[in-house]
Each structure stands twice: as C-alpha cells, then as structure tokens.
Amino acid sequence: ILSLAKTLLTDSDDMVQKGVGWLLKDAYRAAPSAVCEFWESHAAGAPALVLRIASEKMPESLRLHFRSLRNRSLRGIVQNGC
C-alpha cells in the first residue's frame, strides 16, 4: 500500500490525491507506525490535499508535525528564490 501511495503521491489530479489521502488514512488505522515512517520521508513533497485527508484521524500533535514538515519545505523554496 505504501509503495502505491509513494508512486501516486505527486500526481496532479485532485481525485487521485484524494484517493491517496484516503488510502493513507485507512492504512494509518491498521499500521500507524509504518504510515508515520512514510510521512517522515515524504511529507515535505506531499500535496497539501493528500496530507490533510491522510492525517484526519491522527492525533493533533502528529497532524501538526507532518504539516510543519511540509510547510518548512515550502518556506525553503520561497527563501531560496526557486
């Protein structure tokens, strides 16, 4: 499941992004530690929509942590002028 999510994570279609978010949200219920490891590696490059949906059932502290990883990555792009 996580390899499929990794493959589809950067798809530009919003319906695919929603599907990946739902997939990861359900995977979190079954294997939270595996999904957390996935997000530690991929949150920075994830679309906001995927991360928002996938983190809906996570404790607030985790949700905020993974969103901050993504936001830090975006701020770095703006600061570097890319």
Side-chain angles (χ1 to χ4, degrees):
I1 288 177
L2 296 178
S3 66
L4 177 62
K6 180 180 176 183
T7 301
L8 296 173
L9 189 62
T10 57
D11 193 292
S12 61
D13 187 315
D14 65 332
M15 295 306 286
V16 173
Q17 291 180 10
K18 289 176 184 180
V20 172
W22 276 95
L23 177 72
L24 289 167
K25 179 169 57 173
D26 284 345
Y28 178 77
R29 292 177 188 158
S33 60
V35 174
C36 286
E37 285 180 34
F38 176 87
W39 281 122
E40 287 292 341
S41 302
H42 298 92
L49 178 60
V50 176
L51 189 53
R52 189 184 78 227
I53 292 170
S55 64
E56 285 176 352
K57 300 298 180 183
M58 291 180 179
E60 184 177 4
S61 60
L62 275 179
R63 201 170 39 245
L64 294 174
H65 169 69
F66 294 129
R67 288 179 185 176
S68 75
L69 292 177
R70 181 180 181 282
N71 291 338
R72 250 185 261 148
S73 172
L74 293 176
R75 279 195 301 266
I77 291 170
V78 172
Q79 290 172 353
N80 293 331
C82 296

